[in-house]
Amino acid sequence: MHNHAAGKYTGFAMLLHWLIAVLVIVSWRIAEGAEGAATREARGEIMANHFAIGVVIFAVVAVRLIWRLMNPPPPAPAGHKGWERTLARIVHTAFYVLLLAMPIAGWIAMSSFGNRISVWGLFELPRLPVPINQALGEQIFELHALAGTTLLILIVVHALGALKHTIIDKDGTLFRMLPFGRVRG
């Protein structure tokens, strides 16, 4: 069901958007929490949840991207300036690139350590056919962490943009991705 006349995303797009947001925040907090683990084993158990959530994030983002391609988003409110539309397009593209590339990078890194990825014991991702190379795995994880920091910065930019449009411009941009409220413009 399209609600583009009201300038809103579809209900399914809203669900996927907020599910991805929650999963990313939970995954980030789990990774941060693992840093303070008492033992290497405890850290590994905590990080197993981070890896499993990464698999789920990849799947949900892939569904979101396919949905978006099949159901184009509603046009931005008419009051948005050209640079704002361009920045929004760049941020959204970067979200998709990072949210798909980061789990793949994690899988490659885990594979370079010789490990599979268990998704809470429900199924396992096999080791990719990459050479066992601990140094390479560590470098990939460093890039993964840098990508994560970049993602967090983009989330802040995204949220501030939505709030700026909603509170200062009073165009209801935030409500485009919520089942309540009105979009103006």
Side-chain angles (χ1 to χ4, degrees):
M1 178 178 110
H2 294 278
N3 199 2
H4 288 205
K8 289 180 171 274
Y9 283 81
T10 64
F12 189 60
M14 290 179 199
L15 173 69
L16 294 173
H17 172 273
W18 294 108
L19 178 59
I20 292 165
V22 168
L23 288 169
V24 165
I25 292 166
V26 168
S27 185
W28 164 55
R29 296 306 306 145
I30 287 170
E32 289 291 311
E35 296 295 321
T39 65
R40 184 181 175 140
E41 292 75 26
R43 183 179 191 281
E45 287 178 24
I46 294 168
M47 286 303 291
N49 289 303
H50 176 77
F51 301 138
I53 291 172
V55 173
V56 174
I57 288 171
F58 182 88
V60 175
V61 169
V63 169
R64 174 75 176 100
L65 184 57
I66 292 165
W67 180 261
R68 185 180 176 108
L69 293 172
M70 292 171 42
N71 301 274
H80 289 192
K81 296 172 185 65
W83 70 267
E84 292 170 324
R85 291 172 195 261
T86 299
L87 181 58
R89 207 168 22 258
I90 290 167
V91 169
H92 284 106
T93 301
F95 277 151
Y96 285 109
V97 169
L98 289 170
L99 290 170
L100 293 171
M102 289 175 66
I104 292 170
W107 190 11
I108 293 169
M110 288 295 286
S111 296
S112 71
F113 287 125
N115 299 326
R116 297 177 181 157
I117 297 175
S118 172
V119 181
W120 298 297
L122 301 172
F123 64 93
E124 276 190 354
L125 293 183
R127 200 182 147 275
L128 291 170
V130 297
I132 305 265
N133 182 335
Q134 190 120 5
L136 177 63
E138 288 171 9
Q139 287 177 330
I140 293 170
F141 274 138
E142 284 179 26
L143 288 172
H144 179 87
L146 179 62
T149 300
T150 303
L151 181 64
L152 293 173
I153 291 167
L154 290 174
I155 289 168
V156 169
V157 169
H158 180 66
L160 288 175
L163 291 172
K164 177 252 186 211
H165 285 291
T166 302
I167 296 168
I168 296 172
D169 300 342
K170 297 187 182 344
D171 66 9
T173 291
L174 180 64
F175 300 115
R176 289 165 45 91
M177 195 50 84
L178 291 169
F180 53 86
R182 206 179 78 169
V183 180
R184 294 177 184 85

